Amino acid sequence: MLNPYKTCLLIDDSYIDNFISRRILESSNFAEQIIVCQSPAEAIDLLREGSVKPDVIFLDIRMPLMTGFEFLQEYDALPMDKDGIKIFMLSSSLDPTDLKESLGNKYITQFIHKPLTLKSLEEICP
């Protein structure tokens, strides 16, 4: 894989999960730039101010203060061009309700179970 994407935004409250996911993304040359946010609110702020225009977002579901689904509601309200942005729900959740809600959301491209792997990246690359 050689930088199929320009910018990747990783949103997860877990430092360890972010560390592992970032290493996988870097070692596979998934994107030219990888931006990590440990809170959905931080990611919303970056998107709102226009300092980040990701091609791909990896989003956890279960996070304190704001869940992945609450992030998606805030994201929906942002006055920005969302065309071409792929959002992958990256979660360890086994709750069928989470999977169903993810697949029913217009912004979610696919649900990926943690941990992120080279195989899962190969499956989503163009």
Side-chain angles (χ1 to χ4, degrees):
M1 222 178 300
L2 190 56
N3 295 332
Y5 298 103
K6 184 172 174 26
T7 305
C8 174
L9 180 58
L10 178 61
I11 307 168
D12 196 323
D13 64 307
S14 167
Y15 174 81
I16 291 177
D17 286 343
N18 281 333
F19 179 80
I20 292 167
S21 295
R22 183 181 194 118
R23 295 292 295 212
I24 297 275
L25 291 165
E26 288 172 344
S27 69
S28 68
N29 292 312
F30 184 78
E32 292 175 28
Q33 181 181 32
I34 300 164
I35 298 163
V36 178
C37 292
Q38 280 195 260
S39 84
E42 177 189 359
I44 289 292
D45 287 344
L46 291 175
L47 293 167
R48 183 178 290 119
E49 61 195 35
S51 60
V52 173
K53 175 68 165 102
D55 304 296
V56 174
I57 298 173
F58 288 101
L59 176 65
D60 188 23
I61 294 176
R62 309 236 169 139
M63 294 178 280
L65 305 178
M66 182 187 289
T67 68
F69 296 119
E70 291 167 333
F71 167 87
L72 291 168
Q73 290 172 348
E74 293 286 322
Y75 176 81
D76 186 49
L78 290 175
M80 60 178 274
D81 180 16
K82 297 172 184 85
D83 287 342
I85 300 175
K86 294 181 180 182
I87 301 179
F88 296 96
M89 198 61 92
L90 180 61
S91 179
S92 56
S93 174
L94 298 174
D95 184 341
T97 307
D98 286 342
L99 180 59
K100 184 178 179 183
E101 190 171 345
S102 294
L103 298 177
N105 187 287
K106 66 182 179 181
Y107 294 114
I108 301 296
T109 302
Q110 185 177 334
F111 187 100
I112 300 172
H113 287 281
K114 284 183 184 177
L116 193 60
T117 64
L118 286 173
K119 184 176 191 254
S120 58
L121 288 179
E122 287 170 358
E123 290 172 1
I124 64 172
C125 277

